[in-house]
């Protein structure tokens, strides 16, 4: 397998990783998104093989048993997410830079694995109140799911110091500009 570089985005759910990554993908032609596997159901507008590889719990367990994952986490009780080994291989073989959207544990594990080949970015909400508003206004999660995401975010927000860079996502344009700046510096 060829090797290359990787950009890791981690944050609690609702902080704006997906929004920022979509904007950056339009700017950086060299980027290719690492499509994670998940056992959660698709949200309206999500496409299999584009946003995620959506799987049943049984299919996910088969990939775990076959040692197909570089990393995986049960991010929420009963819902698993993971990076298939085949994703970085596919992207680096095409000469592209891998872009990851993973939870905080996944980000720490992947940074440990890729070392200096990866830039790890923590996306911080302006406040917990704004994070809650964004999760609600996204309109994709049940009250129960929002409560689970907020509960988990309390622990995750303590972890920003374990990342190379922290970007506060208050004004979206400013957050995207800051991400572009640190990524351009990293890619050289
Ligand atoms: P994540 O991928 O981290 O779970 P999303 O990108 O889905 O988060 O963002 C959560 C919600 O917040 C979405 O509805 C998105 O449109 C909104 N959002 C993201 N960034 C901002 C921002 N800077 N200002 C206002 N709303 C934002
Ligand atoms: P969502 O359900 O909002 O798409 O994602 C929930 C959380 O799972 C987010 O923090 C997202 O970054 C994380 N996630 C998505 N894919 C992966 C993955 O492959 N590995 C890990 N560890 N977390 C992931």
């Amino acid at each position: 397998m060829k090797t290359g570089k990787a950009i890791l985005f981690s944050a609690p759910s609702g902080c704006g990783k997906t929004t920022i990554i979509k904007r950056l993908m339009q700017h950086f032609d060299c980027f290719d998104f690492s499509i994670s596997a998940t056992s959660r159901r698709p949200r309206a507008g999500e496409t299999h093989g584009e946003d995620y590889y959506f799987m049943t719990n049984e299919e996910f367990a088969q990939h775990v048993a076959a040692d197909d994952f570089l990393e995986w986490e049960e991010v929420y009780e009963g819902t698993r997410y993971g990076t298939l080994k085949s994703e970085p291989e596919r992207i680096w073989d095409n000469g592209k830079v891998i872009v990851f959207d993973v939870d905080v544990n996944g980000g720490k594990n992947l940074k440990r694995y890729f070392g200096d080949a990866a830039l790890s970015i923590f996306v911080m909400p302006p406040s917990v109140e704004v994070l809650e508003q964004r999760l609600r206004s996204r309109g994709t999660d049940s009250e129960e799911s929002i409560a689970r995401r907020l509960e988990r975010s309390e622990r995750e927000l303590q972890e920003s110091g374990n990342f190379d860079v922290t970007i506060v996502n208050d004004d979206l344009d400013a957050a995207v500009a800051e991400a572009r700046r640190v990524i351009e510096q990293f890619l050289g």
Side-chain angles (χ1 to χ4, degrees):
M1 178 179 86
K2 287 192 211 159
T3 57
K5 290 191 171 176
I7 313 289
L8 294 160
F9 283 91
S10 291
S13 180
C15 288
K17 297 178 297 294
T18 311
T19 308
I20 292 172
I21 290 171
K22 286 201 166 147
R23 289 273 295 268
L24 292 171
M25 299 290 293
Q26 290 167 4
H27 176 75
F28 289 99
D29 289 341
C30 58
F31 275 10
D32 200 350
F33 183 62
S34 170
I35 303 162
S36 295
T38 181
S39 64
R40 86 152 159 72
R41 298 257 184 85
R43 295 180 182 135
E46 285 184 330
T47 308
H48 177 78
E50 207 173 286
D51 299 286
Y52 279 108
Y53 299 116
F54 294 100
M55 297 181 177
T56 61
N57 282 318
E58 291 69 31
E59 285 167 334
F60 201 103
Q62 280 165 14
H63 283 290
V64 172
D67 196 24
D68 288 337
F69 284 110
L70 194 53
E71 61 82 36
W72 67 270
E73 294 280 333
E74 185 162 334
V75 177
Y76 307 107
E77 204 184 315
T79 310
R80 292 187 282 176
Y81 297 78
T83 306
L84 290 162
K85 291 175 182 169
S86 51
E87 280 299 293
E89 284 172 15
R90 168 180 75 75
I91 294 168
W92 275 351
D93 280 346
N94 287 328
K96 301 274 189 169
V97 174
I98 315 169
V99 179
F100 290 99
D101 173 342
V102 292
D103 85 319
V104 172
N105 280 338
K108 288 196 298 185
N109 288 335
L110 288 173
K111 174 66 186 178
R112 211 171 293 129
Y113 179 80
F114 288 113
D116 289 343
L119 176 70
S120 63
I121 300 176
F122 191 94
V123 180
M124 184 73 98
S127 66
V128 174
E129 290 73 28
V130 171
L131 174 62
E132 183 167 357
Q133 278 166 20
R134 286 187 187 163
L135 280 168
R136 282 188 207 292
S137 66
R138 186 164 70 183
T140 51
D141 296 276
S142 64
E143 277 303 312
E144 189 205 339
S145 169
I146 290 173
R148 278 194 295 172
R149 282 160 199 265
L150 284 172
E151 190 193 328
R152 188 180 171 91
S153 75
E154 278 179 37
R155 265 172 293 132
E156 291 184 319
L157 288 170
Q158 314 296 322
E159 299 260 15
S160 62
N162 292 311
F163 288 75
D164 295 327
V165 178
T166 296
I167 292 176
V168 178
N169 181 21
D170 188 355
D171 175 72
L172 180 62
D173 287 339
V176 171
E178 176 62 2
R180 271 174 62 168
R181 191 185 68 75
V182 293
I183 291 167
E184 271 159 13
Q185 197 176 35
F186 172 73
L187 295 178

